[in-house]
Amino acid sequence: MRKTFLAISVLLTSYQAMAQTSANNPQFNYAEAGYVQFDIDDIDEVKPAGITISVAKQFDQFFVAGQYMRAVDDTNQNYGISEPGFEVDERANMELTTTRYELGAGYIWDVSDGATIDLMVAYGNLDATADVDFTAEIRYTDIDGNPILETVSDSYSESADENYFSAAARYILNVNDFVLKGSVGAERFDTDGADTEFVYRVEAGYFVTEAASVNLGYTGGADYSVVALTARYHF
């Protein structure tokens, strides 16, 4: 009987230690902000860059997380025609704004000292809006030999706004003051005919203090990639 109670005591102590380690894991308790850049396939003229803000909070073996990104870039194009008595000068400016938010929840497993695996499911929205300003100046000479200048301008906006679902498995390894993360998963946009696409992410971080780290991450999707450099406060 004494051995049985001793074994139970050891198991409870181990469980409590594991739970305490998870509860205090800084990788699931943080607020973060930094720089982000989108690279969209088949669009070489613009690479939207901006801010990313995210938070995460752990509840025992569970955690919740949220992220917001906003990135902007623009491009200018000029086109002209010059012939005797006739000239056209066209100018177009396009500003692309990419906005993304995501809310998710997951479950954590402690696999060894300093290493965890977690599974996370999330719901998000991705919006890409292009604002275009167009101006054309037309110069010509009328039949009386008088120079004429006509100006035509127009502005319009096009937007693609889509919700999506995602799921991912992530491995986190802490080595001294460094943190390495890798995840693989899938995401599916909530549109007719959308495919489930593979997505992955790698990240490296360094703790400059016990409560602050800097992190560099790369996310690769089917039609885009994202690079993020962030500062993170852990609590």
Side-chain angles (χ1 to χ4, degrees):
M1 182 68 69
R2 180 181 177 85
K3 291 183 179 180
T4 301
F5 281 118
L6 180 60
I8 293 174
S9 177
V10 170
L11 289 173
L12 287 174
T13 301
S14 300
Y15 173 80
Q16 291 170 353
M18 183 177 66
Q20 184 177 10
T21 299
S22 297
N24 295 328
N25 194 327
Q27 300 307 319
F28 301 96
N29 298 275
Y30 63 83
E32 171 183 59
Y35 168 86
V36 65
Q37 184 178 60
F38 279 84
D39 188 354
I40 304 172
D41 290 355
D42 301 324
I43 302 179
D44 298 327
E45 293 81 6
V46 289
K47 296 183 183 297
I51 62 168
T52 176
I53 300 172
S54 60
V55 294
K57 182 70 178 85
Q58 184 177 354
F59 303 92
D60 296 326
Q61 298 298 113
F62 297 91
F63 71 96
V64 294
Q67 184 180 49
Y68 172 82
M69 295 183 183
R70 187 178 188 275
V72 181
D73 196 11
D74 59 15
T75 182
N76 296 288
Q77 294 184 352
N78 297 317
Y79 175 74
I81 298 176
S82 181
E83 297 180 357
F86 181 79
E87 292 183 0
V88 176
D89 183 17
E90 296 180 355
R91 297 184 299 274
N93 173 265
M94 182 186 75
E95 182 179 83
L96 179 63
T97 302
T98 304
T99 306
R100 178 174 184 168
Y101 72 81
E102 183 176 284
L103 297 173
Y107 187 85
I108 309 162
W109 288 270
D110 294 295
V111 295
S112 66
D113 186 20
T116 61
I117 291 177
D118 64 85
L119 294 179
M120 178 178 174
V121 293
Y123 173 82
N125 176 270
L126 178 63
D127 177 85
T129 300
D131 295 312
V132 179
D133 295 319
F134 171 82
T135 301
E137 293 182 349
I138 305 171
R139 297 179 177 87
Y140 62 93
T141 303
D142 63 13
I143 57 175
D144 296 324
N146 300 314
I148 304 297
L149 172 62
E150 295 183 359
T151 301
V152 178
S153 62
D154 192 15
S155 298
Y156 64 92
S157 178
E158 293 185 359
S159 177
D161 185 286
E162 297 181 356
N163 299 323
Y164 66 90
F165 302 90
S166 67
R170 179 175 56 176
Y171 178 76
I172 302 177
L173 176 64
N174 295 269
V175 182
N176 297 325
D177 292 330
F178 294 91
V179 181
L180 302 176
K181 302 179 183 180
S183 67
V184 293
E187 62 183 12
R188 182 183 180 90
F189 285 89
D190 189 18
T191 56
D192 293 337
D195 296 325
T196 300
E197 304 287 357
F198 173 76
V199 62
Y200 68 94
R201 176 176 173 80
V202 292
E203 181 183 296
Y206 177 74
F207 276 84
V208 293
T209 70
E210 290 186 357
S213 67
V214 291
N215 306 270
L216 177 64
Y218 177 87
T219 302
D223 303 310
Y224 68 92
S225 62
V226 180
V227 175
L229 178 63
T230 60
R232 188 175 295 168
Y233 172 73
H234 303 267
F235 49 84

